[in-house]
Amino acid sequence: MKYIVLEDEVSYDGHQISSLWAYENTGSLDDTIIAFRGPCGVSIEHMIDLEDRVSDESIESPDMIHFICEHFDSTDLKLVYARQRLFVLIVSEILSRYGLVTERNGDDLFFNDRKLSVSIASVSPVSQKFHFGMNIVHEHYASLKMAGIKEDDIYSLMDEICDRYCMEFKDIERDLRKSRPLDVI
Amino acid sequence: MKYIVLEDEVSYDGHQISSLWAYENTGSLDDTIIAFRGPCGVSIEHMIDLEDRVSDESIESPDMIHFICEHFDSTDLKLVYARQRLFVLIVSEILSRYGLVTERNGDDLFFNDRKLSVSIASVSPVSQKFHFGMNIVHEHYASLKMAGIKEDDIYSLMDEICDRYCMEFKDIERDLRKSRPLDVI
Amino acid sequence: MKYIVLEDEVSYDGHQISSLWAYENTGSLDDTIIAFRGPCGVSIEHMIDLEDRVSDESIESPDMIHFICEHFDSTDLKLVYARQRLFVLIVSEILSRYGLVTERNGDDLFFNDRKLSVSIASVSPVSQKFHFGMNIVHEHYASLKMAGIKEDDIYSLMDEICDRYCMEFKDIERDLRKSRPLDVI
Amino acid sequence: MKYIVLEDEVSYDGHQISSLWAYENTGSLDDTIIAFRGPCGVSIEHMIDLEDRVSDESIESPDMIHFICEHFDSTDLKLVYARQRLFVLIVSEILSRYGLVTERNGDDLFFNDRKLSVSIASVSPVSQKFHFGMNIVHEHYASLKMAGIKEDDIYSLMDEICDRYCMEFKDIERDLRKSRPLDVI
Amino acid sequence: MKYIVLEDEVSYDGHQISSLWAYENTGSLDDTIIAFRGPCGVSIEHMIDLEDRVSDESIESPDMIHFICEHFDSTDLKLVYARQRLFVLIVSEILSRYGLVTERNGDDLFFNDRKLSVSIASVSPVSQKFHFGMNIVHEHYASLKMAGIKEDDIYSLMDEICDRYCMEFKDIERDLRKSRPLDVI
Amino acid sequence: MKYIVLEDEVSYDGHQISSLWAYENTGSLDDTIIAFRGPCGVSIEHMIDLEDRVSDESIESPDMIHFICEHFDSTDLKLVYARQRLFVLIVSEILSRYGLVTERNGDDLFFNDRKLSVSIASVSPVSQKFHFGMNIVHEHYASLKMAGIKEDDIYSLMDEICDRYCMEFKDIERDLRKSRPLDVI
């Protein structure tokens, strides 16, 4: 498991959630979390959440930080959703170190009762992935800037979040290698 | 998924982590999280973490709140560890509502740099389980009482944590039922 | 697990076997079995059974009862086929209560040596589904009407079949939560 | 998948449900269903159903036909329970050819409102198995003899049931090898 | 598991790696390995290895022997790649009986430091497959002819390789049916 | 995945095949292959292969090299047996570099029609493991010494075999991270 923070802006249009996008763009042959900054505008053919697609709900933002995580060790939907929730909570932990206290509901973070983030998770036959994006600025929704995060902190924030998730993943992999099976009543 | 908060004290000796303990003790035929209060003293034959067993490390506390969660939908170690971490973060979220800010490292919570909790997760051939315990009082480690949680709040805290984990589980189960598969590059 | 009997007729053209069709049409976020009445005409691009597609065999009927069942707990082909067979046998049990004795061969029901039903099962990366249809009337094949089922009983029959399958599913889920693992010689 | 009908009587004490019993006793290196005749008396340490063990319920019969089926293709509890239910329904189908109409409730067959059978299913880390037994005679419960099955038909009945289950298994294995994946909405 | 050696030439264009190709072309309802002879020219839309697609690398040969193996017992990428490597090593074993000593690197065979073979493995939601091809003649790469394999031996070589892989598969299936689970420290 | 070659002799009595033995003895929290030298005498309670146990066949050797490999990424019997076979073929490859040409049958290596090796594979609820041992000297069976391997080469042989298996594992993990899913006919 490794992470890559892209220096250049990338416009998130939803095709980046496709399996093997990390390999195509970075050549990574590992489980990888990639972070980048850029606007968000997900076209309907790339919407994974059928609820958004059915309601024709646009997912748009002028400036966001994006995290795209891909694991190849399983294609279990239950596992990728547990990992997505874990990631959201890790984001919340890191934000609180920057003085930003959020509320979480499922895979969404809120600040002052306004939605700060978007997220989705799913699987293909070859990998599992989740996307998590947070507004840096936004007209209607909550954003990192309105919540007090400074421009200078954006990339260090991205870095810390990625680093923490990778450490978490490795910590779990270590823990499960010293656990004896459960007895049974 | 349901939860049960036992009114009577139970002394946690490690055999409660065995598969089917919830059924034997409550008759529950569901995925279940059971919370109870009581001392903790895990004998070596019930230690799941081989690190503790190898180092002959005692796991003892005079008064703890315990959570024991069992899922029958998978025996994947990766999944139960992701769920355990998710649970620990949910505990941290709920504690912060009571004004108790903790630090987390893996599956441990800390208060003022002292360890507040113990936890383990594993599988048998028929189910996956995790245990999470927090000191209510303790001579050496951190405890809920020293961190300002009042006696009157112990059971409501147990109830809130269980309730939130069950809601999280159901929320994930709903989310994965509206997710389209990923495209592939 | 729940079931929904649609009051309005639906023409089964095969696209209803697609994953997430139940969510799109009913908003259900559960494992669901949906029953409806309507004609059947499966176009070749929606044929799941490659045998039908290769032989360019039309699957047509002017009036059928249809059952479409979707589970999200596994994408194992072996499991969805075992569940499909179980469903066919449950249909046979319920029909016998209506005085209709059928013969079964694999996933087909026969009455007086004529085929009464069509069925298919498969998986996508996110769910497993099966379809089962029975002729209410038909020129060449067996039908419920020719076998003595009255018009007034069609919807109660649909309801009973769905109800029994849901009960079976829940019964299995309960049984597996009180089973100890096997010993080994 | 093959089947073996043992000519000699075997007393079923529950240890036969252990994984690899078929190999130890017949040398079979296939998925196998073994049928035999003999009394039934399951000691408490071999009880798989914790409900029976908790209630200290004896499972005894002076003369039964037993079926023990083992599959090595999966250790999924959901799958072995679906297969067990399928088996029970196949037994019911075959019995009806002998003029014996039973009622089924979960994994139990009833005749004249009295229980005719016992059954259990579970997994070990290496295989999945189920046991199904039917009384040939019994003082309190229903039995094949009271239901009109003749002594001469016992072994042909055992043979037919095994044969039908093996054919069903092979039929499923063939069906899943010509099924295209589901589309997604 | 069975194998089929096609007598007629088939031009390998990559669509043969699709799931259910064996059924469509031979009617096989088993796990199957199919061998045939023919040229190779994989168009970009059928390239499974994204590395080839990204680098727009043509995979072309005027005359090859091809093996296409499909298993329906699992859709685990780890398993199909382990089986692919096993297959490559079996090919190497058989070639050495014909006096042809190769070097192996991953899923590639080399003769005199020149690449002799191409191979890929992957899964769909319903099956796992691998393709392995070896040049019979080639202008730039190594080939069976340059390595001393005679025209008369081509089909017997294909037959032996298929036969050995099928025997290996069956041998594994037998071995796993007499293995007790591991103890745990 | 890493490997450890133990300098000290270890007497292989079969308990080393237990899950978590590598952690207990080396503290490794990775998938690990451990090699050591020592006599072999497997007591009946540690025999994994029921065939050996049933026939009360002793597995004894005065001096062997042993490899014990443990993976925590899956508890699938099919996968661990495919990996075991792959390992045996890798051993055969490495031996041929030392001028020792062996014949392979399943998981056994032969030299001059005499058996050179023993091997077993299996799973527990938490990991999968295989053991492979080769006689350095032996009265009745084949041995490395009789086949021309020199004393000085024993440890470098152990090292090369471990290294190659680890490289193979990593190579597979890389390959599966650039494979697109299969199309379907």
Side-chain angles (χ1 to χ4, degrees), chain A residues 53-68:
Chain A
R53 191 184 266 221
V54 165
S55 60
D56 203 358
E57 192 179 318
S58 69
I59 301 174
E60 301 205 5
S61 175
D63 193 9
M64 268 189 154
I65 55 176
H66 301 275
F67 302 90
I68 299 179

Side-chain angles (χ1 to χ4, degrees), chain A residues 31-65:
Chain A
D31 284 14
T32 312
I33 183 159
I34 296 185
F36 56 85
R37 182 177 181 168
C40 178
V42 181
S43 57
I44 202 159
E45 82 265 24
H46 288 128
M47 282 181 184
I48 297 296
D49 187 340
L50 191 53
E51 191 175 1
D52 297 334
R53 191 184 266 221
V54 165
S55 60
D56 203 358
E57 192 179 318
S58 69
I59 301 174
E60 301 205 5
S61 175
D63 193 9
M64 268 189 154
I65 55 176

Side-chain angles (χ1 to χ4, degrees), chain B residues 17-29:
Chain B
I17 195 71
S18 303
S19 284
L20 300 179
W21 177 80
Y23 172 71
E24 193 195 33
N25 281 270
T26 70
S28 174
L29 289 170

Side-chain angles (χ1 to χ4, degrees), chain B residues 142-160:
Chain B
S143 70
L144 295 174
K145 288 283 176 71
M146 74 178 272
I149 303 293
K150 294 174 190 155
E151 178 62 34
D152 283 359
D153 287 337
I154 298 291
Y155 277 88
S156 63
L157 182 62
M158 289 158 70
D159 196 82
E160 267 185 71

Side-chain angles (χ1 to χ4, degrees), chain E:
Chain E
M1 176 101 223
K2 70 177 184 189
Y3 70 91
I4 299 168
V5 180
L6 300 180
E7 289 181 21
D8 293 334
E9 283 206 5
V10 177
S11 177
Y12 185 79
D13 62 11
H15 95 274
Q16 294 92 344
I17 195 70
S18 303
S19 284
L20 300 178
W21 177 81
Y23 171 72
E24 193 195 33
N25 281 270
T26 70
S28 174
L29 289 170
D30 209 336
D31 284 13
T32 312
I33 182 159
I34 297 184
F36 56 86
R37 182 177 180 167
C40 178
V42 181
S43 55
I44 203 161
E45 83 264 26
H46 289 128
M47 282 181 184
I48 296 297
D49 187 339
L50 190 53
E51 190 174 4
D52 297 335
R53 190 184 268 223
V54 166
S55 60
D56 203 359
E57 192 180 318
S58 70
I59 301 173
E60 299 205 5
S61 176
D63 193 9
M64 269 190 153
I65 55 175
H66 301 275
F67 302 90
I68 299 179
C69 182
E70 182 166 24
H71 292 285
F72 289 88
D73 57 351
S74 161
T75 56
D76 179 7
L77 266 176
K78 287 170 187 273
L79 180 56
V80 73
Y81 269 100
R83 284 171 169 171
Q84 178 218 36
R85 294 302 204 269
L86 194 50
F87 182 83
V88 177
L89 278 154
I90 285 171
V91 172
S92 170
E93 282 186 324
I94 302 291
L95 287 176
S96 73
R97 295 184 191 172
Y98 284 76
L100 198 174
V101 177
T102 52
E103 284 294 310
R104 182 184 67 87
N105 188 358
D107 58 3
D108 288 321
L109 291 183
F110 290 83
F111 178 74
N112 283 349
D113 295 335
R114 288 158 72 187
K115 205 162 168 279
L116 177 64
S117 64
V118 293
S119 187
I120 190 62
S122 194
V123 298
S124 78
V126 296
S127 71
Q128 58 175 229
K129 297 189 72 170
F130 60 82
H131 168 253
F132 181 80
M134 277 189 294
N135 298 313
I136 297 176
V137 296
H138 203 283
E139 224 175 316
H140 307 296
Y141 294 113
S143 69
L144 294 173
K145 288 282 175 72
M146 75 178 273
I149 302 293
K150 294 174 189 154
E151 178 61 33
D152 284 358
D153 287 336
I154 299 291
Y155 278 88
S156 63
L157 182 62
M158 288 158 70
D159 197 81
E160 268 185 71
I161 289 169
C162 289
D163 189 48
R164 180 72 187 251
Y165 182 77
C166 287
M167 286 197 309
E168 194 74 46
F169 180 80
K170 287 170 190 167
D171 197 54
I172 287 175
E173 290 291 312
R174 279 192 296 267
D175 277 4
L176 65 82
R177 280 168 173 82
K178 57 189 178 79
S179 300
R180 297 168 55 245
L182 304 173
D183 290 325
V184 182
I185 293 290

Side-chain angles (χ1 to χ4, degrees), chain C residues 79-122:
Chain C
L79 181 57
V80 72
Y81 269 100
R83 283 171 169 172
Q84 177 217 38
R85 294 301 204 269
L86 194 50
F87 182 82
V88 177
L89 277 153
I90 285 170
V91 172
S92 169
E93 281 186 325
I94 302 290
L95 288 176
S96 73
R97 294 184 191 173
Y98 284 76
L100 198 174
V101 177
T102 53
E103 284 295 309
R104 183 184 66 90
N105 188 356
D107 60 3
D108 288 322
L109 291 183
F110 291 83
F111 178 73
N112 282 349
D113 296 333
R114 288 158 72 185
K115 205 163 167 277
L116 176 64
S117 64
V118 294
S119 188
I120 190 63
S122 194

Side-chain angles (χ1 to χ4, degrees), chain D residues 88-119:
Chain D
V88 177
L89 278 154
I90 285 171
V91 172
S92 169
E93 282 185 325
I94 302 292
L95 288 176
S96 72
R97 293 184 191 172
Y98 284 77
L100 198 173
V101 177
T102 53
E103 284 295 308
R104 183 184 66 89
N105 187 356
D107 59 4
D108 290 320
L109 291 183
F110 291 82
F111 178 73
N112 282 350
D113 296 335
R114 287 157 72 185
K115 207 162 166 279
L116 176 64
S117 64
V118 294
S119 188

